[in-house]
Amino acid sequence: DVQLVESGGGLIQPGGSLRLSCAVSGFTVSANYMNWVRQAPGKGLEWVSVIYSSGGTYYSDAVRGRFTISRDNSKNTLYLQLNSLRAEDTAVYYCATGHSDWSFRFDYWGQGTQVTVSS
Amino acid sequence: YVLTQPPSVSVAPGQTASVTCGGNNIGGKSVHWYQQKAGQAPILVVFDDTHRPSGIPDRFSGSNSGNTATLTVSRVEAGDEADYYCQVWDRSSDNQGVFGGGTKVTVL
């Protein structure tokens, strides 16, 4: 079975930093496209970032320049470094991945980790 | 790239619910649909326009043509009440995922 387990969320002041982790089992992080998706309270899903098997990375306009996606192949773990946090970054952050590297669907999701940006 | 969904759809048990997802020439893209129940992570219910993952009932189906993709839930049950999101991958300007705003399906 494929399992994705996020951690690292919490309460952080505006301007602060946080690193989220997504530990993966049953699926190879380095061989697949790995994503972060977030959901603000009472709002819809918002795609945040992807890292391809090639190592290429892309970001949404809302987070580009502040967030960094990376992976540790030896730990089969995905990360998201969040810097210069703002109140509007408050959300549940999910890691998500799937089987299709041409249509990029999300077959697997973690349970999410809550990030709250507030003074 | 923008995907537009109606905020809400209401349906009686046993009837059919249709959720639309509008986008410029969306028929040229692969559309995926997710179901999200309150307090839970989303699950994939339809991928590549018309395909169902293993374990998803055949009451869930999809179509995609022109500027509109549609998720259809037949013989609706109380357990189908949830938020539904469409999603595509946009390569036109930058490689990124795009979600529709979501549709709340209410079973009357």
Side-chain angles (χ1 to χ4, degrees), chain A residues 33 35 37 39 43-47 49-50 52 58-61 64 94 100-107 109-112, chain B residues 30-32 34 36 39-44 46-48 53 83 85 87-89 91 94-102:
Chain A
Y33 55 100
N35 297 259
V37 176
Q39 187 169 34
K43 303 296 184 182
L45 301 173
E46 179 188 12
W47 179 84
S49 181
V50 64
Y52 290 141
Y58 293 88
Y59 301 90
S60 68
D61 292 345
R64 189 177 297 116
Y94 297 99
S100 174
D101 60 0
W102 67 273
S103 67
F104 296 100
R105 67 184 190 253
F106 304 132
D107 298 85
W109 297 70
Q111 85 288 350
Chain B
S30 286
V31 179
H32 317 305
Y34 303 87
Q36 186 181 35
Q40 298 182 18
I43 64 169
L44 181 69
V46 168
F47 67 93
D48 294 347
D83 294 321
Y85 296 90
Q87 177 249 322
V88 300
W89 197 264
R91 296 179 177 82
D94 201 353
N95 280 275
Q96 56 182 263
V98 181
F99 286 97

Side-chain angles (χ1 to χ4, degrees), chain B residues 2-24:
Chain B
V2 177
L3 296 175
T4 302
Q5 296 182 236
S8 63
V9 167
S10 297
V11 59
Q15 299 303 304
T16 297
S18 295
V19 180
T20 58
C21 177
N24 184 33

